[in-house]
Amino acid sequence: PIPTMTVTSPAPYCPSDLISATDYNITTDPVGTVTYTWTATNNAATGMASTGTGAAPATPYNAPANATLINQLSIITYTPSLAGCVGSAVTETVTIKPTPVIDPITSVTYCPNQVTNQINFSCQPTGQGTPNYNWIITTSPYDVGLTPPTGTQSFVPSFTTNANNTGLAQAAVVTLGASLNNCPSTFSNFSIIVNPTPVPKFSATNHVCEGQAMSFTDSSTPNTGSITVNTWAWDMDNDGNIDFSTKNPTYTYPAGSAGTIPVTLYVGTSSAPSCTAQVTEPVFVNPN
């Protein structure tokens, strides 16, 4: 008799899945006496051998990585034979699904007590189902104000950052993973950073009379490290106008201004974004 055979293609594999001949079904007629050989296409992309005898693959193996964002296919052609009689060729397909790739997320930086933007996730390839996400804060030396610390939704929700009085930028590192078509992605990391709150502070010379120069000395923090206070704005006489934009100004209060005078100092940090604060302190000008 002319031998015949049928073959059922296995379900698509994810990268690293074990591919074995037992994953699909081959039947022959006559049963148990037919031998067959096979050839396969697209071997490099799917990890299949190019030729073999019996069911493919001859040896189980793990599906290779697939960073192409499209399915990779091997078409395997089987040819049965029996005592020199060759039957019609049949084919099956081994499919390696793509590894999902999370679209890059840029780390974001905020000032203390600031409302953050929602951070949305997306991954490639599109049009192949709805991704499932899982994220966790793997490094959090400072509580930036984000709750909950883990989530399965497709975004980090908006929240209000906490105060940061450490003098240093603090970060929560978010590790994000995704699954698409039951295939896991590689992990992606990004940070949510909270810059330090500046603490404005200054002093002024005592025993100054009307018409004499009063010296002001800024002692705001942070004043060392990678983030410092680097902008100043002084309102010397509580009129709402900025009189100086230098660190340590000198100001002369005119005649008739004796008494207690509120002085306001506004400061900003060298961080991006710059974080600001202000303080108002009284100074005393002696009458002539």
Side-chain angles (χ1 to χ4, degrees):
I2 299 296
T4 61
M5 66 183 300
T6 60
V7 60
T8 303
S9 297
Y13 297 97
C14 290
S16 78
D17 282 351
L18 183 67
I19 299 178
S20 171
T22 60
D23 295 342
Y24 49 95
N25 184 48
I26 294 176
T27 60
T28 62
D29 186 29
V31 176
T33 58
V34 177
T35 60
Y36 43 91
T37 61
W38 53 267
T39 60
T41 65
N42 199 23
N43 311 93
T46 61
M48 292 294 298
S50 58
T51 61
T53 60
T59 302
Y61 70 97
N62 292 103
N66 179 6
T68 65
L69 300 182
I70 60 175
N71 289 339
Q72 293 296 322
L73 311 178
S74 269
I75 308 300
I76 304 173
T77 302
Y78 291 89
T79 303
S81 63
L82 175 64
C85 299
V86 179
S88 299
V90 295
T91 63
E92 62 137 342
T93 303
V94 169
T95 302
I96 312 297
K97 294 184 285 188
T99 299
V101 177
I102 298 172
D103 292 324
I105 299 174
T106 302
S107 295
V108 291
T109 305
Y110 295 97
C111 289
N113 303 310
Q114 183 177 354
V115 178
T116 69
N117 296 320
Q118 179 173 293
I119 301 173
N120 297 310
F121 308 144
S122 60
C123 76
Q124 304 297 325
T126 58
Q128 294 193 17
T130 301
N132 295 314
Y133 296 98
N134 185 274
W135 52 272
I136 185 171
I137 299 177
T138 56
T139 304
S140 184
Y142 180 79
D143 180 11
V144 298
L146 174 61
T147 55
T150 61
T152 57
Q153 64 266 55
S154 61
F155 58 89
V156 174
S158 173
F159 64 96
T160 301
T161 59
N162 283 349
N164 177 4
N165 298 317
T166 67
L168 301 172
Q170 303 293 340
V173 179
V174 181
T175 296
L176 170 66
S179 175
L180 181 62
N181 288 330
N182 295 319
C183 295
S185 71
T186 56
F187 289 101
S188 176
N189 294 326
F190 64 93
S191 297
I192 301 174
I193 302 165
V194 178
N195 285 328
T197 303
V199 180
K201 185 178 180 181
F202 68 89
S203 59
T205 53
N206 296 321
H207 311 297
V208 173
C209 299
E210 299 169 311
Q212 293 180 341
M214 179 179 288
S215 296
F216 292 82
T217 302
D218 170 71
S219 54
S220 303
T221 57
N223 52 23
T224 60
S226 59
I227 298 177
T228 60
V229 171
N230 69 340
T231 57
W232 303 266
W234 299 82
D235 179 359
M236 297 300 194
D237 47 14
N238 198 35
D239 63 357
N241 296 319
I242 301 303
D243 299 295
F244 297 98
S245 297
T246 56
K247 181 177 182 180
N248 300 314
T250 299
Y251 186 70
T252 300
Y253 287 96
S257 59
T260 301
I261 302 172
V263 174
T264 300
L265 169 62
Y266 305 87
V267 296
T269 60
S270 60
S271 58
S274 177
C275 301
T276 60
Q278 68 184 74
V279 65
T280 300
E281 297 285 357
V283 298
F284 187 81
V285 176
N286 294 306
N288 290 328

